[in-house]
């Protein structure tokens, strides 16, 4: 366990994927940050499991991509179905990226890889250490941190809140977090099961009873996400099986043998008023939360972190904090775009009216026969329309396009 220094140039509160990516990338750039987390160990559940092409591109400079690829399952196809009928197929193999697929990698594995990289660079996480108060002064920020039953005060130039939806950093900074909560609960389950469809696709099933999504995970497991009105706090195998029986494939039924982990959660859609207020900066769920539709959450947070590391490096070198204003404005715009997209996808997937569902299915089926639309959707979901891509990934993609004769 690391001791708690009383001064640090940068204090990162929260060591999930976002905080770890930021801490490691700062360290790679020669900038040491104090990173704390209130829990004793990192996450041991899979939670977020989708890693998109844009995130892999953003992580390239950190040198962790090969390890993440080895830890995950490459899935090139996303299909929308109504029972056994295919409405839409989105193929990621033609997106302009070296990573022409969706990678299914459980969050605990992603966190472990990022932590190992941070430690290899000479950094670490101080835990359990909880930020309980943040006071902004003229030149420094004083943060009260509870550790081992004792409260200590750490002074710092910058505080980065990577501490989730209920961020104390955001609350103490007085940054508004506007939005709402969806009426339905979501059920999440990682299971071992007999699945009648191919493991090279993520499948979203529409049903009058609600949606269900099934995606492959490593070790021949599957992730199931479904909407529900009456889900127990820890859904049983029988409960999740019943959801699949009604909403999933009908010609050949799936059979869950066992569950690794199940959970119920309520989904919010909120965006912080700003990602920066003076020396306070926000990344990840502290800055934006939204529906799991499209698997955008962890990805957007990691991209927040990698771009912030670059901005902090520039500010540290030039001393011009306006670079952080530009970063905050850009990430706020992206967060609003992500929340709007996931909100639209969620509302379309949970329509209650039979007529509305029929019209939705018809429109999606038509779109599925228009290649320019499916290609655009693939790029959108892969997040390739957000921000600049890394130069190495650009070069790989241009090489690939030249080989295909598409330039």
């Amino acid at each position: 366990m690391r001791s708690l220094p009383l001064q640090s140039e940068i204090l990162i509160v929260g060591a999930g994927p976002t905080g770890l990516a930021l801490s490691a990338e700062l360290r790679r750039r020669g900038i040491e940050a104090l990173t704390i987390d209130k829990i004793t160990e990192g996450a041991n559940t899979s939670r977020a499991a989708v890693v998109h092409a844009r995130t892999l591109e953003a992580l390239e400079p950190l040198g962790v991509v090969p390890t993440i690829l080895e830890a995950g399952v490459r899935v090139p196809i996303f299909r929308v179905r109504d029972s056994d009928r295919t409405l839409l197929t989105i193929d990621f193999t033609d997106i302009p990226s070296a990573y022409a697929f969706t990678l299914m990698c459980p969050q605990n594995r992603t966190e472990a890889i990022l932590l190992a990289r941070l430690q290899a660079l000479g950094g670490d996480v101080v835990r359990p250490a909880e930020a309980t108060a943040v006071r902004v002064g003229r030149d420094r920020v004083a943060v009260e941190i509870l550790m081992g039953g004792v409260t200590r005060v750490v002074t710092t130039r910058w505080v980065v809140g990577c501490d989730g939806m209920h961020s104390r950093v955001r609350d103490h900074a007085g940054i508004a977090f506007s939005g709402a909560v969806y009426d339905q609960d979501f059920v999440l389950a990682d299971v071992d099961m007999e699945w009648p469809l191919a493991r090279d696709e993520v499948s979203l099933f529409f049903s009058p009873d609600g949606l269900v999504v099934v995606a492959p995970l490593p070790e021949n497991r599957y992730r199931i996400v479904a909407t529900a009105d009456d889900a127990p706090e820890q859904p049983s195998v029988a409960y999740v099986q019943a959801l699949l029986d009604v909403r999933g494939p009908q010609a050949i039924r799936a059979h869950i043998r066992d569950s690794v982990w199940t959970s119920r959660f309520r989904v919010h859609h909120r965006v912080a008023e700003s990602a920066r207020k003076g020396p306070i900066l926000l990344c990840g769920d502290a800055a934006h939360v939204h529906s799991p539709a499209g698997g955008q959450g962890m990805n957007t947070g990691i991209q927040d972190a990698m771009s912030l590391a670059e901005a902090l490096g520039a500010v540290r070198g030039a001393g011009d904090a306006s670079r952080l204003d530009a970063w905050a404005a850009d990430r706020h715009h992206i967060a609003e775009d992500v929340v709007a997209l996931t909100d639209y996808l969620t509302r379309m997937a949970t329509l209650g009216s039979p007529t509305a569902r029929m019209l939705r299915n018809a429109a999606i089926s038509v779109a599925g026969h228009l290649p320019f639309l499916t290609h655009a959707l693939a790029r959108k979901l892969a997040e390739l329309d957000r921000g600049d891509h890394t130069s190495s990934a650009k070069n790989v993609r241009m090489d690939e396009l030249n080989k295909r004769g598409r330039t």
Side-chain angles (χ1 to χ4, degrees):
M1 179 187 298
R2 287 183 61 191
S3 60
L4 188 67
L6 298 183
Q7 292 187 2
S8 178
E9 184 177 12
I10 301 170
L11 172 62
I12 300 170
V13 181
T18 299
L20 289 171
L22 175 59
S23 186
E25 178 60 11
L26 285 171
R27 191 88 186 189
R28 187 189 71 83
R29 292 171 175 269
I31 305 170
E32 186 172 358
L34 170 61
T35 305
I36 66 171
D37 198 282
K38 66 181 180 180
I39 63 174
T40 303
E41 297 179 357
N44 58 8
T45 53
S46 63
R47 292 183 290 168
V50 180
V51 184
H52 285 304
R54 176 68 187 103
T55 302
L56 293 168
E57 292 177 0
L59 286 170
E60 279 186 341
L62 196 51
V64 297
V65 172
T67 310
I68 293 176
L69 292 176
E70 289 178 5
V73 177
R74 304 182 191 200
V75 184
I77 300 296
F78 174 68
R79 283 199 174 94
V80 179
R81 301 172 182 268
D82 184 356
S83 186
D84 296 312
R85 176 190 171 203
T86 297
L87 300 176
L88 174 69
T89 298
I90 297 177
D91 187 343
F92 291 95
T93 59
D94 285 331
I95 62 174
S97 174
Y99 312 107
F101 46 81
T102 294
L103 187 75
M104 297 300 299
C105 183
Q107 181 175 328
N108 56 317
R109 294 191 179 192
T110 302
E111 287 191 15
I113 292 166
L114 291 170
L115 177 59
R117 182 58 177 148
L118 172 61
Q119 291 170 336
L121 290 166
D124 210 340
V125 177
V126 177
R127 60 168 90 233
E130 182 178 4
T132 57
V134 179
R135 300 190 303 274
V136 178
R138 172 179 287 184
D139 300 315
R140 304 284 286 180
V141 182
V143 182
E144 294 182 8
I145 298 176
L146 178 64
M147 185 177 179
V150 177
T151 296
R152 297 174 174 84
V153 178
V154 174
T155 60
T156 183
R157 181 182 178 190
W158 305 103
V159 178
V160 187
C162 301
D163 50 343
M165 183 176 72
H166 302 291
S167 170
R168 282 191 175 175
V169 173
R170 185 193 62 238
D171 290 346
H172 280 270
I175 300 174
F177 198 44
S178 59
V181 61
Y182 292 104
D183 294 334
Q184 290 182 301
D185 289 332
F186 280 74
V187 170
L188 187 152
D190 290 349
V191 303
D192 175 20
M193 73 173 173
E194 296 173 12
W195 180 241
L197 303 177
R199 278 181 59 83
D200 68 346
E201 74 168 73
V202 173
S203 304
L204 185 156
F205 293 86
F206 288 145
S207 163
D209 296 276
L211 70 86
V212 64
V213 178
V214 179
L217 291 176
E219 300 179 5
N220 210 36
R221 292 170 178 165
Y222 292 86
R223 158 66 53 86
I224 299 172
V225 181
T227 54
D229 293 321
D230 57 350
E233 185 175 349
Q234 292 186 317
S236 65
V237 167
Y239 182 90
V240 180
Q241 180 70 61
L243 292 177
L244 272 183
D245 287 345
V246 172
R247 306 179 188 183
Q250 300 297 305
I252 304 177
R253 298 289 183 90
H255 173 65
I256 302 175
R257 290 185 286 259
D258 194 13
S259 67
V260 179
W261 177 61
T262 66
S263 180
R264 176 198 68 194
F265 58 98
R266 180 60 64 88
V267 175
H268 294 246
H269 50 103
R270 301 182 186 276
V271 179
E273 182 180 31
S274 174
R276 181 192 178 198
K277 185 175 181 180
I280 307 298
L281 304 156
L282 302 177
C283 287
D285 287 356
H288 44 76
V289 292
H290 40 81
S291 162
Q296 308 287 294
M298 181 180 72
N299 289 273
T300 307
I302 290 175
Q303 292 167 38
D304 289 346
M306 297 299 287
S307 58
L308 177 57
E310 181 180 3
L312 283 169
V315 168
R316 190 169 181 262
D320 181 8
S322 65
R323 176 67 182 272
L324 291 174
D325 290 328
W327 170 85
D330 181 56
R331 299 314 298 178
H332 181 75
H333 173 75
I334 288 172
E336 288 188 321
D337 183 54
V338 170
V339 170
L341 171 65
T342 57
D343 181 59
Y344 176 78
L345 292 174
T346 301
R347 295 188 185 282
M348 288 299 100
T350 56
L351 290 172
S353 162
T355 301
R357 291 196 302 269
M358 181 183 68
L359 293 173
R360 173 201 63 197
N361 289 1
I364 291 175
S365 183
V366 170
H369 290 86
L370 300 173
F372 76 93
L373 278 181
T374 58
H375 292 165
L377 283 170
R379 292 193 301 272
K380 185 77 171 177
L381 291 174
E383 304 186 350
L384 296 178
D385 57 347
R386 297 181 197 146
D388 294 329
H389 305 334
T390 59
S391 59
S392 59
K394 281 183 179 179
N395 292 336
V396 171
R397 290 195 299 279
M398 289 306 297
D399 288 344
E400 289 177 346
L401 290 175
N402 287 329
K403 288 177 183 177
R404 296 176 188 177
R406 294 180 183 175
T407 56

